[in-house]
Amino acid sequence: LHYPLRRQRQMCIRDSYWNTFLNSQITYLLRIKDLFGNYENAMVFLVCLLNQAYNMKNANQQISGENTSKIHDSYTSLISQYTLENSKGFICDVRNVESIENTVNEVVDNFGHPDTFIHNAVRGIRGSFLDFTVRDLQSNFDTNVTSLLRFSQLLCPKMIENEKGSVIVTGNTSAHRGKAEFGGTASTKAAQKILTESMARYLNPKGVHVAYITIDAAIDVPWTREMWPEKPDDYFIDPDDIAKEALHLVNQNKSAWTFDHWLRPFGEHW
């Protein structure tokens, strides 16, 4: 879920693929929710990826009203299949500041202020700097950086007031290197990591733990299995294990906080 869709300029998300993608995202969300849900009185705010869920035939195409309705209907239908005690899903366009503000207000009205904020939304493109457009780059930046900034501006003041809380941001190796075909992704993920580090230096002394998780792996969800059907089980990282690591970071004692946290399967080449 943390990697841009391969060959996205040629890819159109069909109904079957879209349902698989949504199921994968919701499964990942639920695994995190189940682990954190075991902790009484803990409120977790998780921002997930839905922004790739539209026709990618034209990389510059905006989400139409019809596609937005499809996203909402599909998500509502799938989320209703699960029993989410004390949980609720909200749809937010993370590239739109007003949408972010409205969603946070709605979350706070329903559940109060969160103790933990997990930013797991990502947008990426593949191609050299000669291939992607300014519009592509801006959309990546809005998803990966601006949304993190605005969510944090809205959620962190209460954590500062309470002198406790956690902000967990997920990324991949694009945050650490600029490969030739990933400039449009790496530039924004690197900016995201640096913003997160700046937040950590400000928030840590105020009692708020901030950590950046680099996931150097393909996550074991249905759509990645479809993409790499020939790969063995050990090639993939288990979402349960990612969620456990996030929970581990949240529960770290103040005397030994981690910021830069890398995860990869034992057989991953690096």
Side-chain angles (χ1 to χ4, degrees):
L1 297 179
H2 297 266
Y3 286 90
L5 297 176
R6 306 283 179 168
R7 301 179 299 280
Q8 68 179 42
R9 287 178 177 77
Q10 290 77 39
M11 180 180 291
C12 296
I13 297 183
R14 303 176 299 277
D15 288 346
S16 60
Y17 189 95
W18 164 232
N19 287 332
T20 299
F21 181 83
L22 260 183
N23 271 309
S24 299
Q25 184 65 15
I26 292 173
T27 299
Y28 186 42
L29 183 157
L30 292 177
R31 289 176 178 181
I32 293 177
K33 179 265 173 188
D34 287 341
L35 284 173
F36 278 85
N38 293 326
Y39 288 79
E40 187 176 359
N41 297 325
M43 200 291 222
V44 179
F45 186 93
L46 172 65
V47 179
C48 288
L49 170 66
L50 286 176
N51 61 292
Q52 295 277 19
Y54 59 95
N55 189 315
M56 299 292 288
K57 185 174 183 180
N58 182 345
N60 293 326
Q61 178 176 325
Q62 294 297 297
I63 300 178
S64 67
E66 179 181 353
N67 282 331
T68 301
S69 177
K70 184 177 181 180
I71 291 172
H72 188 280
D73 292 345
S74 298
Y75 184 85
T76 301
S77 174
L78 286 167
I79 203 74
S80 66
Q81 297 175 22
Y82 300 90
T83 301
L84 297 174
E85 185 178 357
N86 297 324
S87 299
K88 185 176 180 179
F90 300 85
I91 293 179
C92 173
D93 181 358
V94 298
R95 294 176 296 181
N96 183 292
V97 171
E98 183 179 358
S99 179
I100 290 173
E101 293 168 350
N102 291 339
T103 301
V104 169
N105 288 336
E106 192 175 359
V107 169
V108 171
D109 287 345
N110 277 265
F111 294 101
H113 291 274
D115 304 292
T116 296
F117 165 44
I118 302 175
H119 189 280
N120 186 55
V122 60
R123 186 180 191 278
I125 53 175
R126 187 171 186 174
S128 76
F129 73 97
L130 297 174
D131 297 323
F132 61 82
T133 67
V134 171
R135 190 173 183 177
D136 292 329
L137 185 64
Q138 186 64 58
S139 188
N140 288 352
F141 192 88
D142 289 343
T143 302
N144 300 334
V145 185
T146 305
S147 71
L148 170 62
L149 172 66
R150 193 65 191 122
F151 276 119
S152 299
Q153 288 174 333
L154 295 168
L155 297 172
C156 289
K158 194 66 176 180
M159 297 182 189
I160 295 172
E161 179 183 331
N162 295 334
E163 298 184 347
K164 64 178 182 178
S166 301
V167 177
I168 308 295
V169 183
T170 62
N172 53 40
T173 53
S174 287
H176 303 268
R177 63 188 183 189
K179 297 187 74 173
E181 295 295 313
F182 289 91
T185 302
S187 55
T188 61
K189 293 301 288 183
Q192 179 191 64
K193 181 179 180 295
I194 292 300
L195 173 61
T196 307
E197 181 176 335
S198 176
M199 289 166 51
R201 292 173 185 272
Y202 181 84
L203 290 171
N204 283 180
K206 295 173 173 53
V208 180
H209 185 193
V210 180
Y212 194 87
I213 302 178
T214 300
I215 303 173
D216 185 11
I219 299 176
D220 190 359
V221 290
W223 77 266
T224 56
R225 288 285 187 164
E226 289 184 8
M227 183 171 291
W228 294 291
E230 76 287 357
K231 296 295 186 181
D233 292 346
D234 290 344
Y235 176 78
F236 301 91
I237 189 170
D238 191 327
D240 283 339
D241 293 330
I242 299 174
K244 289 174 184 176
E245 287 302 306
L247 184 60
H248 164 69
L249 291 172
V250 168
N251 287 325
Q252 280 185 330
N253 191 284
K254 287 183 177 182
S255 69
W257 273 351
T258 298
F259 170 72
D260 201 357
H261 196 65
W262 284 70
L263 300 177
R264 61 173 63 92
F266 70 94
E268 181 73 19
H269 177 74
W270 61 290

